[in-house]
Amino acid sequence: MRYFLPSKRLGFLLLALLLCGFALNFFMQAASLNMDAMSVFSWIGEYYWLYLAGGLFFFFLLLVFSMILPSVYAGSAVAAVLCILLGIVDYKKLSTTGEPLFPWDLMLLKNAGEMSHITKGMIPPLALAAAVLLIAAVVWLLFKLPKIKVSLPLRMLFAVLSVAMITGFVSMVAHQSSLAVSMKYQNIFWNQKVNYKQNGLLFAFAGNLRQSLIEEPEGYSRRAIEEIAAKYSKLPDPVPNVQATQQPNILFMMDEAFFDPTRLPGLSFSEDPLKFIHGEESATPSGFLLSPEFGGNTANIEFEALTGMSMYFLKDGSIPYQQKIVKMSSLPSIVSILKERGYRALALHPYDETFYNRNRVYPILGFDAFTSEKDLDNAERITPEGYISDKAAVQEALRELKASSDPAFLHLVTMQNHFPFTKGHNGPNTISVEGTSPSYKDELETYTQNTKLTDEALAYLQQELLTLDRPTIAVFWGDHLPALSAGIYTDAGWDSEPRLKHETKLVMLANFDIGKEPLNTLSPAFLGPTVFRLSGQPMPPYYKLLGKVQDEMPGLSKQVLIGSNGVLTAFTPEQQQLLDDYRMVEYDLLEGENYSQDLLF
């Protein structure tokens, strides 16, 4: 029995861990409330049971680490540092993209080396220095604190008890048990910003561990999908812009963090950074892409573009590549549609192939080959520290198109314009930007220089398309607006203009006549049907459904809804029926029985 009796020192340690648990919970909630301590106190006053339960969770987390590592101090310190890091990541993610930290974001830990390069510059040097000093102080303190010996039986008892409590907590929250509800916990999965703000980072994070992408629609069944398939199968193909005499190559070029900086009001530029795009857009189909994301989550834009499914129906914060598709064996997409027609399907991303699990997701979507950074040793970078340039990526895409004897679909995801926007990152800035705060001038000029390089790469692409023997259509768009300093968008008055913060440039190029109709504003999900129509491809029933939705609601986003005549504030019964059909099919493909694969594709 004496092995289980705690000493006085151990008693003080347990009390210290309990206090640290509540302090950690306070910090984690502050991370979700813009580090505003008064807002945290206000939250605690309303949701005190959530705060108390969260404090106990962190106590048991600190305790289990203390018991499983040889030094009780080192164990609790490691756990505390990990929690603090998660809180900081949540705060930084919220401040740059407007979204909190989700469980599936942790899958990017396998890319920790690349993430450190991508996020370079996001943490001020002074903050890094302070962190180093703090860690040094903690290490010094660990050596100075009196030693505490805990017997093995007592360690095992505390460890088992802690694991049981942590597991019970996660189960209670994930299943939204009556106990959790009595604490005023509500899983607000449809609005994750409110979810984290109301429930706190811990409860919201735990509640997302078992999150599905989309709720089952009322009336879902095989018969419902058959009725939808019959309805849209009967529709005629839209009249094509051209009568294709040969199957054309199709190139998707999704450009990282690209938008038109000249749209920002109040700024003047010493020269037009987008000379080619601005000169070409009236002579070819062009417009804007309504991105479902801002500042990040590139995989969600390509998810829409490749599958034709919409993020509009998915739960807030979803990343289908990481949550669902990686676990599937196949998923219908523009890739699989074209492969059935004899196309070779190629993917190209001049960066780490494992980001967003692309190396595992692309084969599921039907790609035959995937070229990534590891295959491009000699590709050009503007500077040694920069990413592979857009022009180098275009050159590789053209090489692969020319090497294919079959018609090819090539999906290119660029990297050149990714954060950080540090002066000199992509060579010297050649365009001066006036009308902005001095603190933003270098950042804006650096980003503008990036867009100029992309514009030049696009001009090169158009020139080289004319040398290809096979008809080829290229679809270029920016995936999302860049994560520039928030003040830049505030000064522009865009904080209250969600449409402007989600519209990127969209341009189509070809070496054959595709007309010059304006595309206005489109969601990525409608790129497939649009390029099929412009290139004279027959439509599967699924694309006919998308075409009908596009006619009524070309911009479908949680941030703003764009109808054929401008912003939508309400749906007509006909529009609602289209959305219900669309949602039903999307649920069937992602979470249901996949009846649609045989009926609509």
Side-chain angles (χ1 to χ4, degrees):
M1 178 60 69
R2 61 189 178 86
Y3 294 111
F4 292 95
L5 295 175
S7 66
K8 184 180 293 185
R9 284 183 179 177
L10 182 56
F12 282 124
L13 174 70
L14 293 175
L15 178 60
L17 292 182
L18 181 63
L19 294 175
C20 285
F22 284 103
L24 271 178
N25 198 28
F26 187 96
F27 172 80
M28 298 298 263
Q29 184 59 14
S32 292
L33 295 173
N34 200 31
M35 293 298 179
D36 184 346
M38 295 308 298
S39 294
V40 181
F41 283 119
S42 176
W43 175 78
I44 293 172
E46 185 173 359
Y47 298 100
Y48 45 86
W49 286 116
L50 296 183
Y51 176 67
L52 290 172
L56 289 174
F57 172 89
F58 285 112
F59 163 69
F60 284 112
L61 186 66
L62 295 172
L63 182 59
V64 73
F65 270 77
S66 296
M67 295 300 109
I68 62 178
L69 292 183
S71 167
V72 292
Y73 298 129
S76 56
V78 168
V81 167
L82 290 175
C83 292
I84 291 170
L85 284 175
L86 284 178
I88 292 172
V89 170
D90 177 60
Y91 169 70
K92 294 301 293 184
K93 190 181 177 208
L94 269 170
S95 60
T96 53
T97 70
E99 286 194 337
L101 182 70
F102 299 111
W104 41 92
D105 290 331
L106 299 184
M107 296 178 72
L108 290 174
L109 284 174
K110 67 181 184 296
N111 304 109
E114 292 80 7
M115 286 296 293
S116 65
H117 179 53
I118 286 175
T119 57
K120 183 180 179 183
M122 289 185 72
I123 303 176
L126 190 61
L128 286 174
V132 171
L133 288 174
L134 180 61
I135 291 172
V138 169
V139 171
W140 177 83
L141 187 62
L142 291 178
F143 282 103
K144 292 295 182 180
L145 287 170
K147 299 292 185 289
I148 297 179
K149 291 184 179 181
V150 184
S151 65
L152 182 60
L154 194 56
R155 280 181 180 270
M156 293 177 63
L157 176 64
F158 279 138
V160 170
L161 175 64
S162 298
V163 169
M165 295 301 291
I166 291 169
T167 304
F169 174 88
V170 172
S171 177
M172 172 190 74
V173 177
H175 293 93
Q176 202 162 346
S177 70
S178 57
L179 178 59
V181 172
S182 70
M183 297 179 186
K184 297 178 73 172
Y185 167 70
Q186 179 190 8
N187 188 356
I188 312 171
F189 57 81
W190 59 90
N191 189 331
Q192 291 288 356
K193 292 179 187 177
V194 175
N195 192 23
Y196 277 66
K197 186 175 181 180
Q198 177 174 312
N199 295 310
L201 191 154
L202 176 61
F203 272 82
F205 190 91
N208 281 324
L209 289 172
R210 285 171 48 88
Q211 198 71 275
S212 60
L213 288 174
I214 181 173
E215 293 294 306
E216 180 176 326
E218 184 178 349
Y220 172 70
S221 65
R222 179 180 181 87
R223 180 177 179 82
I225 298 298
E226 287 173 341
E227 290 175 354
I228 291 171
K231 183 194 305 185
Y232 296 99
S233 296
K234 291 187 294 187
L235 296 178
D237 274 313
V239 178
N241 282 39
V242 296
Q243 293 297 330
T245 57
Q246 187 181 18
Q247 287 182 308
N249 293 324
I250 299 174
L251 168 62
F252 273 11
M253 181 175 175
M254 185 172 75
D255 206 80
E256 171 61 36
F258 184 90
F259 89 117
D260 183 351
T262 66
R263 298 187 85 195
L264 290 167
L267 301 182
S268 60
F269 299 79
S270 59
E271 67 174 88
D272 184 358
L274 307 184
K275 291 177 182 175
F276 172 75
I277 291 176
H278 289 158
E280 192 72 17
E281 58 189 357
S282 61
T284 192
S286 65
F288 296 99
L289 181 115
L290 188 67
S291 176
E293 302 292 345
F294 173 81
N297 286 344
T298 295
N300 287 347
I301 297 90
E302 67 174 293
F303 161 76
E304 283 206 11
L306 294 175
T307 67
M309 297 185 216
S310 177
M311 294 297 299
Y312 177 76
F313 301 118
L314 304 188
K315 294 177 181 177
D316 233 15
S318 296
I319 302 181
Y321 273 22
Q322 300 193 158
Q323 291 173 262
K324 185 66 180 183
I325 300 178
V326 72
K327 305 171 188 175
M328 302 172 75
S329 58
S330 66
L331 182 67
S333 66
I334 189 173
V335 186
S336 59
I337 293 169
L338 290 173
K339 282 188 68 174
E340 290 183 359
R341 300 178 182 183
Y343 275 71
R344 180 164 168 73
L346 309 168
L348 169 59
H349 177 47
Y351 200 60
D352 190 315
E353 63 178 355
T354 65
F355 252 75
Y356 292 114
N357 290 311
R358 286 188 177 100
N359 60 323
R360 297 167 63 191
V361 168
Y362 282 167
I364 293 167
L365 295 177
F367 283 102
D368 297 305
F370 178 21
T371 302
S372 66
E373 184 180 36
K374 67 180 176 58
D375 308 305
L376 302 169
D377 291 338
N378 300 316
E380 177 201 27
R381 300 172 191 263
I382 309 299
T383 67
E385 297 78 25
Y387 304 105
I388 290 175
S389 71
D390 281 2
K391 184 174 181 181
V394 166
Q395 288 172 331
E396 174 61 22
L398 289 165
R399 187 195 68 77
E400 294 188 21
L401 288 176
K402 291 176 180 178
S404 179
S405 57
D406 298 318
F409 170 72
L410 192 149
H411 174 58
L412 165 61
V413 181
T414 73
M415 197 65 187
Q416 172 193 284
N417 300 332
H418 202 289
F419 191 95
F421 307 117
T422 307
K423 189 175 183 179
H425 191 67
N426 279 323
N429 295 337
T430 61
I431 298 177
S432 175
V433 180
E434 302 298 335
T436 186
S437 164
S439 60
Y440 301 141
K441 185 174 174 63
D442 281 350
E443 182 181 7
L444 270 173
E445 289 182 348
T446 298
Y447 178 76
T448 299
Q449 180 67 23
N450 291 353
T451 64
K452 177 184 178 181
L453 295 171
T454 297
D455 187 71
E456 292 171 352
L458 208 55
Y460 172 79
L461 172 61
Q462 173 68 341
Q463 175 187 332
E464 291 299 309
L465 286 179
L466 301 177
T467 69
L468 298 180
D469 295 330
R470 183 180 290 277
T472 302
I473 182 170
V475 186
F476 169 90
W477 73 91
D479 59 352
H480 52 71
L481 269 71
L484 298 169
S485 294
I488 292 175
Y489 295 113
T490 300
D491 291 349
W494 285 15
D495 288 346
S496 58
E497 296 285 349
R499 179 172 182 172
L500 293 174
K501 289 187 77 170
H502 289 269
E503 280 186 333
T504 68
K505 207 65 192 162
L506 170 62
V507 180
M508 296 196 180
L509 305 173
N511 58 4
F512 63 98
D513 184 16
I514 57 172
K516 55 182 181 179
E517 68 173 84
L519 297 176
N520 301 316
T521 297
L522 285 184
S523 285
F526 305 131
L527 290 175
T530 301
V531 78
F532 271 37
R533 178 174 54 80
L534 291 174
S535 60
Q537 297 263 5
M539 300 273 194
Y542 177 60
Y543 271 16
K544 292 178 182 179
L545 163 60
L546 296 188
K548 294 294 287 183
V549 179
Q550 180 184 346
D551 288 343
E552 293 289 331
M553 296 155 284
L556 193 58
S557 164
K558 291 181 180 180
Q559 290 73 32
V560 61
L561 294 165
I562 309 297
S564 55
N565 296 312
V567 175
L568 283 176
T569 56
F571 298 125
T572 65
E574 293 78 12
Q575 290 170 336
Q576 187 61 60
Q577 185 58 58
L578 281 169
L579 287 179
D580 290 345
D581 291 347
Y582 192 4
R583 185 195 305 270
M584 185 77 75
V585 171
E586 186 160 334
Y587 172 80
D588 176 60
L589 291 169
L590 286 176
E591 299 282 3
E593 299 299 323
N594 202 15
Y595 304 125
S596 302
Q597 183 156 359
D598 294 329
L599 297 169
L600 284 157
F601 291 87

